[in-house]
Amino acid sequence: MHSIVKFWPFLLLVVSNVFMTFAWYGNLKFKNASTPLFIIILISWGIAFFEYCFMIPANRIASKNFDTAQLKIIQEAITLVVFGVFSVLYLKESFKLNYLLSFFCILGAVFFAFKKF
């Protein structure tokens, strides 16, 4: 198998997480908007649909090479990286040292998920 094929699921997971992050947290940029909550929920569901269009193929492809637990840990690590970038660039929130240290702990989890004992 070509090495690019092995990385394809990771690219799909990143795209999937961008959509899901916007679906879950994008509305927080407009906290003071007068849009009814049910409209916000419908918009978020619409965005989340595209998340599934990338997530499901990513998991199906990656499951040929990785255990389900490994997939979940990879997914969580990607989620945190995407969220970190999103919160700083889109929501204009500060990125604190304790967040960075937490992310390193998650990367440690990824390392141990793939470590052969």
Side-chain angles (χ1 to χ4, degrees):
M1 177 183 298
H2 291 67
S3 61
I4 192 70
V5 174
K6 287 185 178 182
F7 290 105
W8 186 244
F10 300 107
L11 177 62
L12 292 173
L13 287 173
V14 169
V15 173
S16 163
N17 273 283
V18 169
F19 279 110
M20 196 49 132
T21 300
F22 271 97
W24 286 4
Y25 302 103
N27 69 84
L28 297 180
K29 188 168 184 175
F30 310 101
K31 292 180 204 177
N32 298 325
S34 61
T35 307
L37 184 58
F38 78 93
I39 297 294
I40 305 256
I41 291 169
L42 291 175
I43 291 168
S44 292
W45 276 354
I47 296 169
F49 168 78
F50 295 101
E51 185 265 345
Y52 282 92
C53 290
F54 289 94
M55 176 65 70
I56 301 304
N59 284 332
R60 291 187 66 89
I61 294 167
S63 69
K64 295 174 184 168
N65 297 307
F66 302 104
D67 295 337
T68 307
Q70 290 173 323
L71 283 174
K72 184 59 181 171
I73 291 168
I74 292 167
Q75 162 65 21
E76 293 303 324
I78 291 171
T79 297
L80 288 174
V81 171
V82 168
F83 180 79
V85 172
F86 173 85
S87 67
V88 170
L89 296 181
Y90 185 75
L91 295 177
K92 307 294 184 203
E93 295 182 352
S94 62
F95 194 80
K96 300 175 183 170
L97 178 61
N98 58 326
Y99 302 157
L100 181 64
L101 295 173
S102 298
F103 286 176
F104 281 129
C105 289
I106 297 296
L107 290 177
V110 173
F111 170 78
F112 285 113
F114 288 92
K115 178 80 173 141
K116 304 287 185 206
F117 288 102

